[in-house]
Amino acid sequence: MKELFFNLSRKRLILGLLTALMGIYQVYAQQTITGKVVGEDDVGIPGVNVLVKGTTTGQITDFDGNFSISATENDVITISYLGFITQNITVGNQTTINVKLLADTQALDEIVVIGYGTARKSDLTGSVSQVSAKSFEGQPLARLEEALQGRAAGVTVAKANGAPGAAIKVRIRGANSINRSNDPLVVIDGFIGGDLSTLNPNDIASIDVLKDASATAVYGSRGSNGVVLVSTKKGKGVTKVDVDFFTTISTVPDLIPTLGAADFARIENSRRIRGGGSAIFTDQEIAGFAANGGTNYQDEIFQTAISQNLQLSASGSEGKIGYFISGNYVNQEGVVINTNYERYSLRSNVNANISDKFKIGFNIFGSRTTTINDLNQFGRFQGSVVLNALSWDPTTPIFDENGNYNNVSERNLASLNYNPVANLTLANVENIRDRIDANINLSYDILENLNYTLIAGATTFNGSNESYRTFRADPPTAGFGDNKNTTHQISNILTWSKEFGQHNVKATGVYEFSGIQNRFNGYNAARLFVPGGFYFAETAPGSGQSVFNNFSERSIQSLMARGEYIYNNALFVTGTIRMDESSVFRSENRRGYFPSVALAYSFDNMTFIENSNVFSSLKLRAGWGQVGNENIDPYTTFPNVQNANFSFNGSDSTPGVAPNSFGNPDLKWETTTQTNIGIDLGFLNGRANLSIDAYQKNTTDLLLDDPVIPSNGGNVTISKNIGEVENKGIDVAISADVINTDNFNWNTNFNLSHFKNEVTDLGGRDEIQGTFGSIDGQGRTWNIIQVGQPLGQFNGATFLGTWKTSEAAEAATFGRAPGDARYLRDENGDIVFSAIGNGTPTLTWGFNNTITYKNWDLNIFFQGVHGFDILNAVQGVIVGNTGNQRSFLAPEQLNQWTPQNETDIPAGGPNEAGSTRYIEKGDFIRLSNLTLGYTLKDVKHLNANVKLYITGQNLFLITDYSGYDPELTSVPADDNAGNKSVDVAAGINAGAYPNPRSFIFGVKVGF
Amino acid sequence: MKTTYNKKIKSKIRYLLSVVIITSIFQSCADLDEDPTIAQLAPGAYSKIQELELGVTGVHARLNDASWMTTFYAPFWAGDDITTHFGSNKAEFREFDQRQVSQANSRVKNNWEAIYRTIRAANTVISNNEGLILTDPGEIETQTRLIAEVYFLRGVMFFHLARIHGQIPLPLVPDPDQQLGLSDQVTVYEQIESDLLAAESGLPDVYPGVNAGAPRPNSGSARALLARLYLDWAGFPVKDNAKYAEAATSAKQVIDNSAAHNFALLDDLEDLWTLANVFNSESVWTIPYCKSCGQPNRKFGKLGNPSDLAGWQETFAEIRFFEDFPEGPRKEATYRTEHDWENFNDQPTPVFKKIVGPIEDNLAPDFQTDRNDFFIRYAEVLLIYAEASARSGNITAEAWEALNMIRRRAEGLPFNTPNAGVDVTTGDLAELAFTERKWEFAGEYLRWNDLVRMERVEQALSNRTPQTSMNSSGELLPEFNPIKGSLGTDNYFAPIPQREIDLNPSVNN
């Protein structure tokens, strides 16, 4: 970008000199006007064009921004400079004119990263959303994903759970794939395969999101889920040091109501008597509970959490060297006891202009994140630990009279799981992830119009898991697993561009290869002789020790060509083709071609736009392309085996293996074909902008896990290229400077996405059972994939209230009695299980406002998600009388069916947690962020700007949903964890970690 | 001027050269051919005996995945010896107990899938072994034994599933795409017979290097299961009476070779259900478990107790069966008679000692135990011999003796010492042996199959109302989980799981 300015200013220099020379021959009476042009920092700007309007008289400013020009009193002087707002000043009687140029943000943002190159925003043909640092600077961020949330139309960012450090789900224009990852490809400074969660938000200059296939086709077989291009900050200009510190106080917004101990005991007595048993609590005991209140385990596992975030950066340039160095420390306590997340990161970006033609840059980034007790690793076989707390017996205290934990309910009531407070307090699972990204980029102008760029980089990321379990494991057990990954990527990019009059042609060619190696080693050590902690694993007896190992690698080799043609700044055409060869497919299916074409037409030069007072720009875009998804595990085309050890003697294991997957040698990638049309409108000289994009994408040859006939091997699947998913939608983005005065500014951004997802084919089947196992001990599957329906269908029973006294005879035929739960049954009398709701939203929006008044600034960010259901299985389990929670715990039970008052709240009979009774609307509107800041400029002695701010996050939520938060899901968003079902099990709440409400106090100092 | 120009050229060349050098350092090509064998044992043809050994151990592990929970035996809650909690989440056991099994019963489905997963593992080993040509005589011997072991496991899996469903598909090769229909009953039995015969011929008298109780099968284990198979074959539904003689001969063969196989009755029934004796000579084939190896048995301990005793309310004893059970040491070894079970708050039903274990073992606090499954006991071989001899019209003194050994031990007497007070030598030997099985194997998931093969389901389940058991208020206890479904032969077998029907239309043809 800097080179661009430099080149342009050099052209202007020549132009300016010429006009200055011509000025000598002017014959009119003139006076000499002198002045200085400065920027917002009051530093002179060299090379600014100073022109007498309507003439060719002009000059450019010198190195310090000074100029001197001849003009008459009636002349108007036009002062213009690329990237700044042009100013017109009538000379009058002034002889000295000092001008402060304001940056034209519109112009500054106009460079967009498009993959293997950049483009001016006005030249774009594809659908690209840009989120620049400016738009999220006003909001304290611990995670970069939050910067994308609600700021880019068509990009859905959902927090799957509120655990510190938890993966955040990012989807671009919906989910394409049923069984494969739908995570977008992340490219950081040209290096493919980054991880947004490890980045320091302060390091980021801009995020460009490639949404349609004409834009993502340059990434070929990895482009089908969209591409997030992240550009980190580079140093330039005077040295700048920034320090940003904020502390966060988080709480769980609202507890879910459950029965108190006394009510619980009363209802439990009635449940038992009704079932033919006798009361289990005496009146005296109940009176005791009424007096002491019992124990609310939900309350016991939550805490007020305090977090720290410190960010430091220094940037600038010295001669030919530019640098950006930053550090970040985050320490987040979880709102659930004994959970924590910590991250350190360091970045150093150094660029050197060795000559006019030869530039080289070296970026290195390192981070360590440590997560303590990631609750997702605790399993959800019978619901999460959070759900265990919600459904735990309020009549059993945490400790027994000897001060030891009560491991289980004293009378085997409510949840059959172990004491959640003990489980959490004694847990010690430490997950450490280290990441180092190092890459060099080298740019060489071979000829005036021909540039060669090399991007070469390597990443190592290691994740180890150390667990030491004492709870319910006596003697204790230690476990260790370590994933070591190394990736490399070499991209050779050749770019040729030339202008021929009104024709502007650019061609890009890429040869690239990349690969990743994974090594896994782990061990388990049971029955430690010395219960001293994880590092005493070697004291386990030989029979308690086991080892695990694995290795895999994958690579991809690619050629890409792109041609861009612009005619008269009005017609824009882009065509690309990429060829990928991927190692995960056999040689005959390995090579794929991914073409795209897009064109745009700008009406800016047309008179109706030039003459309009309202419209300032109009552009129409259309694009088509094909991209792929090759995201299967290495060796999927081969059959494989898994460890299947067995003990013949009751004390030692003998190693064994058993067949696992059936390989399918015919596999190839999924193909997504996408068509996009769009319109960009600018109003009032660019003060307001509107973009609308409509798209349709069809993903065919899905890499589907097709169920094998059970008698051929049990409950297994085989990957096949069958089926199709369609996504259609519309993205709208509006941005405006509503108020733009010296002291008062209001900038607003609104974006909205509406989309419809549909499974259109499953290879001849009507439906495929999902993989989300029920948590109520009933052995059901709560999700299903159905042709003609969106992903995320719930599978469950239809609740019909209670059997009434008048229906006693009919109820008896099903073994039920009046007051029991009643469900829809088929002709055989079996409960019908069918689709009962869908968890995939159809509408998302974000509304971001930044208001500045003098030294004050205010950021207000709303976000909404609509058109989806939630299977609130948590409520189903709280209600109880189900597999693993056999008591009633919900307050509504106080109004349960009685012979006198036949309500529809069952007093007995099996309760299906997966039923329409627990389907709720998930629609919500959230005040995601509210920040009020005050900036002290040029603080004495410090010589710095100091900004103080206070932020509230998740301050309110408008929703009818009764659980903690409708955005939560019980499937972790982290595809690396093998949770491929995240999109097909959307909206099922089996006890996710609650999203906190946070208050943040921060200070930013800029030197 | 010229020098500057040269300098420029020189520096240009220098830059160009450095670009070329830096660039070329990084260039290469991607290796695109995968080699899964770096870290995976390719499940293709075996080339080493060690691979075969790993594969066979893997079949055992798969079988263990099928058998470690009560799901493996859930259909046998239908017998008159076992019941379950009347409420709670035991609906799928109650469906069997009450003879109304839904096609959606997940225990049926999960068991079906776990068994076919084991069969796939066995078929994979058999298929991978085909190309394994060995020369070392020791290795050839091992190979023969291992393959025979796989046939044993496959045969047992088919057999177990056939007892639940009757007609079943019989996959014999690992092929994900085959669409097999249900084989008729005789074909199913013939396949089981063929697998067990192959096992018998390749297995030694005693498997080398294993504990007592044949945790790896020997030729006697295979023959004992053949005896069990022939007894079934002679009964419902095939009713091929000629098979009784084969059942008797097979059982006799095991008895005659019992010393060679190390099979014998334990002196004291109480010793059979202790943790100390999980490997014992009475078990003719044992499915072993190991809690500390991550291979626990989830069928015992906590599962047999009501919530009064902090139990999981799964495997309860039937009241009427308990009332009818002859008093004596065997009843004491079968039930925890010390409990005041008639006054349990949760559900007043007796507790099986065979399930919760003796007091000393203190299994009850846990649902995961180190108990082993005695899939077939030597006592069963003796009783098969007695019953099958009688039903085939070949009543011998040895047949009477086989029955009397069990009767003597049930009374706490030395089983080898004749005792006129206990021994029987007249009467209907077949029926006496059949009834003896009822008491001897109570709670061992065998009773249901006896009722099926003799078509006595209706007779046994028609009146289960308690006759004498009263609570402290003097009220006669009710019958929990009364029969809801048909007791006719049309309802003897469990339905084929819906998922199999959905994915494999051939099973309907």
Side-chain angles (χ1 to χ4, degrees):
Chain A
M1 209 149 91
K2 202 182 162 199
E3 295 77 56
L4 192 73
F5 288 141
F6 188 64
N7 286 338
L8 285 172
S9 52
R10 205 165 52 175
K11 276 180 193 156
R12 264 151 222 245
L13 180 77
I14 297 160
L15 195 75
L17 280 172
L18 282 172
T19 46
L21 277 170
M22 286 166 81
I24 295 168
Y25 300 99
Q26 295 290 336
V27 290
Y28 301 107
Q30 304 276 341
Q31 59 189 57
T32 301
I33 315 286
T34 57
K36 186 175 183 182
V37 181
V38 296
E40 280 165 289
D41 51 2
D42 292 325
V43 176
I45 307 175
V48 176
N49 212 17
V50 181
L51 185 73
V52 179
K53 196 171 185 180
T55 71
T56 50
T57 308
Q59 214 212 21
I60 62 152
T61 56
D62 67 12
F63 191 75
D64 297 316
N66 297 314
F67 68 93
S68 156
I69 194 168
S70 296
T72 65
E73 281 187 18
N74 296 328
D75 281 341
V76 173
I77 294 177
T78 301
I79 296 160
S80 63
Y81 188 55
L82 183 71
F84 290 84
I85 294 167
T86 300
Q87 293 197 23
N88 292 307
I89 295 161
T90 306
V91 175
N93 54 6
Q94 305 175 82
T95 53
T96 306
I97 298 177
N98 289 327
V99 179
K100 184 179 272 193
L101 280 183
L102 298 175
D104 183 349
T105 50
Q106 209 67 37
L108 272 180
D109 282 350
E110 79 178 358
I111 300 298
V112 173
V113 182
I114 56 170
Y116 307 106
T118 57
R120 292 199 304 164
K121 195 169 186 181
S122 55
D123 294 351
L124 283 180
T125 53
S127 182
V128 181
S129 288
Q130 184 170 60
V131 178
S132 66
K134 197 169 66 73
S135 74
F136 57 80
E137 273 168 358
Q139 180 182 346
L141 295 175
R143 293 282 292 271
L144 186 64
E145 293 96 323
E146 294 167 2
L148 275 173
Q149 190 166 33
R151 288 196 175 84
V155 180
T156 312
V157 177
K159 283 189 178 177
N161 67 66
I168 296 175
K169 183 170 102 170
V170 178
R171 292 288 174 270
I172 297 172
R173 293 183 166 177
N176 304 323
S177 188
I178 292 175
N179 295 118
R180 304 300 142 198
S181 172
N182 284 310
D183 283 348
L185 184 70
V186 175
V187 181
I188 301 169
D189 292 330
F191 199 74
I192 296 171
D195 180 355
L196 294 176
S197 73
T198 60
L199 292 175
N200 173 1
N202 267 19
D203 289 355
I204 306 311
S206 71
I207 310 170
D208 297 279
V209 182
L210 310 183
K211 296 187 287 190
D212 76 332
S214 77
T216 64
V218 295
Y219 289 103
S221 66
R222 287 171 289 183
S224 70
N225 298 330
V227 183
V228 178
L229 300 166
V230 178
S231 306
T232 60
K233 287 176 181 165
K234 308 288 184 296
K236 58 169 180 268
V238 291
T239 301
K240 217 166 153 281
V241 175
D242 287 294
V243 180
D244 185 358
F245 174 77
F246 60 88
T247 187
T248 309
I249 298 169
S250 303
T251 53
V252 177
D254 295 297
L255 296 186
I256 293 171
T258 53
L259 286 175
D263 283 332
F264 171 82
R266 274 186 217 108
I267 299 273
E268 181 62 16
N269 277 350
S270 77
R271 189 184 77 91
R272 288 184 169 251
I273 291 162
R274 189 178 180 280
S278 47
I280 190 165
F281 292 103
T282 63
D283 290 347
Q284 196 184 352
E285 284 171 324
I286 293 173
F289 295 136
N292 72 25
T295 307
N296 183 340
Y297 279 83
Q298 183 182 192
D299 224 0
E300 297 292 339
I301 66 156
F302 293 141
Q303 64 180 359
T304 298
I306 299 181
S307 304
Q308 258 67 274
N309 193 322
L310 175 67
Q311 290 162 328
L312 295 163
S313 68
S315 65
S317 57
E318 294 291 338
K320 291 177 167 180
I321 309 288
Y323 59 90
F324 175 87
I325 294 165
S326 77
N328 179 208
Y329 174 71
V330 180
N331 189 340
Q332 283 185 287
E333 262 180 11
V335 291
V336 172
I337 55 172
N338 205 14
T339 60
N340 197 276
Y341 171 76
E342 189 182 51
R343 186 181 73 219
Y344 304 88
S345 72
L346 279 173
R347 171 178 297 279
S348 168
N349 291 351
V350 178
N351 308 293
N353 296 346
I354 291 170
S355 79
D356 284 355
K357 294 170 182 244
F358 184 22
K359 298 185 206 61
I360 191 157
F362 179 64
N363 300 341
I364 185 156
F365 172 73
S367 72
R368 159 166 286 203
T369 58
T370 306
T371 309
I372 306 289
N373 297 326
D374 174 3
L375 297 194
N376 287 322
Q377 293 183 357
F378 285 54
R380 53 163 178 77
F381 170 59
Q382 295 176 342
S384 67
V385 188
V386 172
L387 178 57
N388 294 344
L390 279 163
S391 57
W392 229 68
D393 172 12
T395 66
T396 298
I398 298 172
F399 299 102
D400 64 16
E401 58 271 23
N402 302 321
N404 298 319
Y405 283 109
N406 275 315
N407 281 331
V408 293
S409 161
E410 283 173 335
R411 303 181 205 214
N412 280 283
L413 302 176
S415 172
L416 294 183
N417 288 284
Y418 296 111
N419 185 334
V421 174
N423 193 356
L424 283 163
T425 309
L426 299 175
N428 194 351
V429 181
E430 189 168 350
N431 192 296
I432 300 170
R433 276 165 290 175
D434 292 328
R435 186 177 182 106
I436 295 172
D437 293 333
N439 61 71
I440 68 158
N441 51 76
L442 173 158
S443 164
Y444 185 74
D445 293 330
I446 300 168
L447 298 168
E448 195 188 337
N449 298 316
L450 186 63
N451 172 274
Y452 168 76
T453 297
L454 169 77
I455 295 172
T459 296
T460 61
F461 55 101
N462 300 335
S464 69
N465 204 57
E466 298 180 352
S467 88
Y468 177 68
R469 295 190 74 94
T470 52
F471 176 60
R472 297 290 305 164
D474 184 28
T477 295
F480 177 73
D482 184 30
N483 263 299
K484 294 188 287 287
N485 298 278
T486 54
T487 71
H488 67 273
Q489 179 191 320
I490 313 294
S491 305
N492 299 278
I493 306 163
L494 210 52
T495 313
W496 175 82
S497 62
K498 201 167 168 78
E499 275 181 51
F500 305 92
Q502 293 185 317
H503 307 271
N504 190 333
V505 182
K506 189 171 176 185
T508 307
V510 175
Y511 168 65
E512 178 179 277
F513 60 95
S514 61
I516 177 166
Q517 275 190 348
N518 171 274
R519 289 172 169 81
F520 175 76
N521 311 101
Y523 57 79
N524 199 56
R527 308 188 306 280
L528 303 197
F529 184 64
V530 179
F534 172 76
Y535 291 100
F536 290 79
E538 58 268 48
T539 66
S543 62
Q545 299 184 10
S546 48
V547 297
F548 321 101
N549 274 304
N550 204 4
F551 171 87
S552 71
E553 63 183 336
R554 64 192 300 153
S555 54
I556 194 161
Q557 173 167 288
S558 319
L559 289 170
M560 195 279 283
R562 172 169 60 203
E564 293 159 90
Y565 169 72
I566 301 170
Y567 174 71
N568 196 23
N569 273 327
L571 176 68
F572 306 87
V573 182
T574 305
T576 68
I577 183 153
R578 180 167 178 130
M579 184 210 77
D580 275 341
E581 292 179 310
S582 171
S583 67
V584 295
F585 304 112
R586 298 285 180 94
S587 56
E588 53 275 22
N589 297 317
R590 178 170 294 158
R591 181 179 295 177
Y593 296 93
F594 302 91
S596 85
V597 61
L599 86 163
Y601 193 83
S602 165
F603 296 86
D604 294 6
N605 300 334
M606 301 269 203
T607 46
F608 73 94
I609 294 287
E610 285 191 329
N611 295 341
S612 166
N613 293 326
V614 180
F615 293 103
S616 51
S617 64
L618 168 64
K619 192 161 104 175
L620 298 177
R621 288 177 280 109
W624 172 92
Q626 283 189 324
V627 281
N629 185 347
E630 53 110 44
N631 207 328
I632 55 169
D633 291 333
Y635 318 126
T636 303
T637 63
F638 295 89
N640 75 7
V641 296
Q642 64 184 175
N643 289 343
N645 297 350
F646 186 72
S647 171
F648 291 102
N649 63 8
S651 57
D652 304 296
S653 266
T654 305
V657 296
N660 189 17
S661 65
F662 290 99
N664 179 357
D666 301 325
L667 288 179
K668 57 180 183 176
W669 43 77
E670 296 180 356
T671 301
T672 297
T673 307
Q674 185 174 191
T675 308
N676 187 85
I677 54 169
I679 179 168
D680 300 324
L681 273 168
F683 303 90
L684 304 171
N685 208 16
R687 259 180 76 178
N689 289 286
L690 167 69
S691 281
I692 303 173
D693 279 84
Y695 61 89
Q696 173 171 348
K697 54 177 182 172
N698 291 72
T699 304
T700 52
D701 296 330
L702 290 177
L703 285 163
L704 195 73
D705 292 340
D706 192 40
V708 167
I709 292 171
S711 58
N712 290 335
N715 188 357
V716 285
T717 58
I718 181 166
S719 293
K720 288 182 180 170
N721 287 106
I722 52 174
E724 179 175 351
V725 171
E726 180 178 275
N727 283 282
K728 281 192 271 202
I730 183 161
D731 298 333
V732 179
I734 301 169
S735 66
D737 290 315
V738 182
I739 297 170
N740 193 358
T741 66
D742 282 353
N743 280 331
F744 189 38
N745 286 285
W746 176 15
N747 173 271
T748 186
N749 278 285
F750 177 78
N751 64 70
L752 177 147
S753 301
H754 172 66
F755 63 92
K756 188 174 169 289
N757 172 282
E758 186 186 333
V759 177
T760 50
D761 180 35
L762 287 173
R765 300 193 199 285
D766 295 332
E767 57 186 37
I768 292 181
Q769 206 177 50
T771 53
F772 196 101
S774 77
I775 55 166
D776 61 352
Q778 308 258 42
R780 312 220 193 279
T781 303
W782 278 345
N783 63 335
I784 190 164
I785 301 141
Q786 291 181 313
V787 173
Q789 300 294 336
L791 295 175
Q793 289 283 94
F794 307 143
N795 188 38
T798 303
F799 177 65
L800 302 173
T802 51
W803 289 101
K804 304 298 186 293
T805 308
S806 58
E807 298 160 335
E810 193 190 346
T813 61
F814 306 113
R816 301 268 65 92
D820 281 2
R822 183 178 180 178
Y823 297 96
L824 183 68
R825 289 170 187 268
D826 62 16
E827 61 275 13
N828 300 326
D830 293 331
I831 294 177
V832 175
F833 291 93
S834 59
I836 55 171
N838 190 284
T840 303
T842 56
L843 181 72
T844 64
W845 55 267
F847 183 39
N848 194 19
N849 291 281
T850 306
I851 297 164
T852 55
Y853 176 71
K854 292 188 175 165
N855 289 349
W856 291 92
D857 63 88
L858 180 70
N859 176 272
I860 308 175
F861 178 40
F862 289 95
Q863 181 216 345
V865 179
H866 305 268
F868 70 110
D869 303 316
I870 294 174
L871 172 56
N872 189 2
V874 165
Q875 191 58 30
V877 174
I878 291 171
V879 163
N881 219 32
T882 180
N884 304 307
Q885 202 285 82
R886 297 169 186 177
S887 308
F888 287 123
L889 246 173
E892 68 187 49
Q893 226 57 46
L894 295 170
N895 187 31
Q896 72 187 20
W897 179 95
T898 62
Q900 295 73 36
N901 180 20
E902 300 200 77
T903 64
D904 274 328
I905 297 164
N911 167 29
E912 290 283 346
S915 77
T916 52
R917 186 177 177 191
Y918 305 109
I919 300 287
E920 300 186 42
K921 285 275 167 225
D923 306 42
F924 70 91
I925 295 173
R926 187 196 306 279
L927 175 56
S928 281
N929 190 75
L930 179 69
T931 298
L932 180 65
Y934 184 81
T935 305
L936 300 149
K937 287 197 173 146
D938 293 329
V939 179
K940 278 180 190 165
H941 309 303
L942 262 180
N943 195 19
N945 289 338
V946 176
K947 181 182 169 183
L948 300 167
Y949 59 92
I950 176 169
T951 294
Q953 286 181 341
N954 190 21
L955 283 184
F956 70 76
L957 187 65
I958 304 172
T959 183
D960 291 337
Y961 179 62
S962 69
Y964 288 123
D965 192 321
E967 197 173 4
L968 303 173
T969 156
S970 291
V971 183
D974 187 358
D975 276 330
N976 295 327
N979 299 293
K980 308 283 188 206
S981 59
V982 59
D983 292 298
V984 290
I988 301 178
N989 177 21
Y993 197 116
N995 255 340
R997 172 170 299 158
S998 305
F999 293 93
I1000 300 172
F1001 305 93
V1003 57
K1004 268 186 190 183
V1005 184
F1007 298 97
Chain B
M1 185 76 186
K2 201 175 174 194
T3 42
T4 349
Y5 184 73
N6 277 342
K7 248 186 193 167
K8 263 190 173 169
I9 292 281
K10 267 184 186 164
S11 70
K12 244 187 182 175
I13 289 173
R14 214 164 60 213
Y15 291 140
L16 188 66
L17 209 65
S18 49
V19 169
V20 168
I21 290 167
I22 295 171
T23 306
S24 54
I25 286 169
F26 291 106
Q27 303 305 329
S28 93
C29 275
D31 178 12
L32 297 171
D33 287 315
E34 289 193 324
D35 179 7
T37 62
I38 294 173
Q40 285 266 339
L41 271 167
Y46 296 144
S47 59
K48 295 191 266 297
I49 186 82
Q50 289 85 351
E51 291 173 334
L52 174 61
E53 284 191 42
L54 287 169
V56 176
T57 303
V59 182
H60 280 278
R62 285 286 187 257
L63 188 152
N64 194 273
D65 290 343
S67 68
W68 73 302
M69 295 206 279
T70 40
T71 303
F72 193 57
Y73 293 112
F76 309 128
W77 259 249
D80 55 356
D81 53 341
I82 307 176
T83 189
T84 188
H85 195 265
F86 66 87
S88 190
N89 64 339
K90 305 301 167 194
E92 293 177 323
F93 295 92
R94 281 196 298 277
E95 286 183 6
F96 284 103
D97 204 25
Q98 303 182 291
R99 302 308 308 135
Q100 194 174 54
V101 183
S102 119
Q103 201 123 35
N105 188 302
S106 75
R107 303 277 171 178
V108 176
K109 167 186 167 286
N110 292 342
N111 186 55
W112 176 277
E113 292 178 348
I115 283 179
Y116 278 112
R117 188 163 171 252
T118 311
I119 289 166
R120 176 190 166 202
N123 286 336
T124 304
V125 173
I126 291 167
S127 149
N128 289 353
N129 177 61
E130 275 162 13
L132 181 61
I133 311 296
L134 299 166
T135 48
D136 178 83
E139 287 192 350
I140 292 171
E141 195 189 315
T142 306
Q143 182 186 29
T144 307
R145 186 183 74 226
L146 288 169
I147 285 301
E149 191 174 355
V150 174
Y151 279 110
F152 177 87
L153 296 173
R154 187 174 77 177
V156 168
M157 288 294 95
F158 282 141
F159 193 7
H160 189 70
L161 202 64
R163 280 188 150 191
I164 296 166
H165 296 279
Q167 300 180 7
I168 53 170
L170 294 171
L172 302 177
V173 289
D175 173 5
D177 297 321
Q178 60 192 336
Q179 289 200 7
L180 300 173
L182 301 179
S183 293
D184 67 68
Q185 203 64 59
V186 172
T187 309
V188 171
Y189 288 151
E190 283 171 351
Q191 183 59 47
I192 299 165
E193 181 186 37
S194 140
D195 281 351
L196 291 174
L197 286 171
E200 186 190 35
S201 72
L203 286 168
D205 283 346
V206 175
Y207 205 100
V210 298
N211 290 335
R216 304 191 78 158
N218 59 43
S219 57
S221 316
R223 182 48 68 178
L225 279 161
L226 279 165
R228 186 190 265 190
L229 173 73
Y230 294 132
L231 192 68
D232 278 12
W233 200 332
F236 180 86
V238 177
K239 299 193 209 173
D240 180 351
N241 272 323
K243 296 295 175 192
Y244 281 128
E246 289 188 59
T249 325
S250 294
K252 185 68 170 45
Q253 189 183 324
V254 178
I255 294 165
D256 290 345
N257 296 311
S258 58
H261 299 306
N262 291 335
F263 296 149
L265 290 183
L266 292 192
D267 292 334
D268 186 348
L269 259 182
E270 293 278 1
D271 291 342
L272 202 47
W273 311 105
T274 62
L275 277 180
N277 257 344
V278 290
F279 293 100
N280 64 65
S281 59
E282 180 154 342
S283 182
V284 167
W285 178 51
T286 299
I287 305 178
Y289 294 85
C290 174
K291 208 167 111 179
S292 63
C293 315
Q295 185 187 314
N297 196 338
R298 274 204 184 180
K299 295 187 287 288
F300 300 102
K302 200 181 184 94
L303 278 76
N305 273 330
S307 69
D308 300 74
L309 302 172
W312 269 10
Q313 313 154 301
E314 193 149 296
T315 317
F316 288 165
E318 293 262 10
I319 300 171
R320 180 66 190 273
F321 192 95
F322 176 84
E323 289 174 351
D324 295 345
F325 202 110
E327 299 298 325
R330 181 162 59 191
K331 189 168 186 178
E332 298 303 313
T334 303
Y335 298 99
R336 286 283 284 266
T337 53
E338 77 276 14
H339 291 310
D340 178 21
W341 62 267
E342 291 93 336
N343 291 300
F344 281 156
N345 180 300
D346 186 10
Q347 175 173 325
T349 42
V351 174
F352 275 122
K353 189 188 262 183
K354 286 178 177 179
I355 301 295
V356 301
I359 294 172
E360 310 79 65
D361 280 349
N362 192 29
L363 292 183
D366 211 340
F367 55 93
Q368 311 208 111
T369 70
D370 271 317
R371 282 276 296 274
N372 286 344
D373 293 350
F374 310 133
F375 193 82
I376 179 166
R377 284 202 273 136
Y378 189 59
E380 187 179 344
V381 178
L382 292 171
L383 290 176
I384 290 172
Y385 176 57
E387 182 182 346
S389 299
R391 295 203 194 278
S392 61
N394 184 26
I395 298 173
T396 60
E398 285 166 308
W400 282 111
E401 176 61 15
L403 170 68
N404 285 329
M405 285 165 80
I406 302 302
R407 290 174 62 90
R408 288 173 206 136
R409 186 174 67 166
E411 296 297 331
L413 300 167
F415 58 79
N416 269 331
T417 312
N419 184 307
V422 176
D423 292 358
V424 284
T425 47
T426 57
D428 187 339
L429 174 58
E431 286 308 307
L432 284 166
F434 183 78
T435 307
E436 199 61 34
R437 289 175 62 95
K438 175 178 178 182
W439 310 128
E440 179 66 23
F441 305 124
E444 293 182 57
Y445 322 110
L446 291 170
R447 172 70 174 160
W448 168 251
N449 194 255
D450 279 351
L451 300 179
V452 167
R453 70 181 166 89
M454 296 309 292
E455 294 178 86
R456 295 195 191 168
V457 171
E458 186 164 10
Q459 183 193 334
L461 299 186
S462 289
N463 186 9
R464 301 190 306 159
T465 316
Q467 305 293 304
T468 58
S469 307
M470 291 185 211
N471 62 20
S472 53
S473 316
E475 296 156 347
L476 202 59
L477 294 175
E479 174 191 354
F480 293 100
N481 305 328
I483 299 297
K484 287 198 220 163
S486 160
L487 297 178
T489 52
D490 60 328
N491 194 29
Y492 276 13
F493 292 114
I496 304 295
Q498 191 61 46
R499 192 159 175 272
E500 177 77 27
I501 295 168
D502 291 346
L503 294 170
N504 180 15
S506 302
V507 292
N508 277 337
N509 300 333

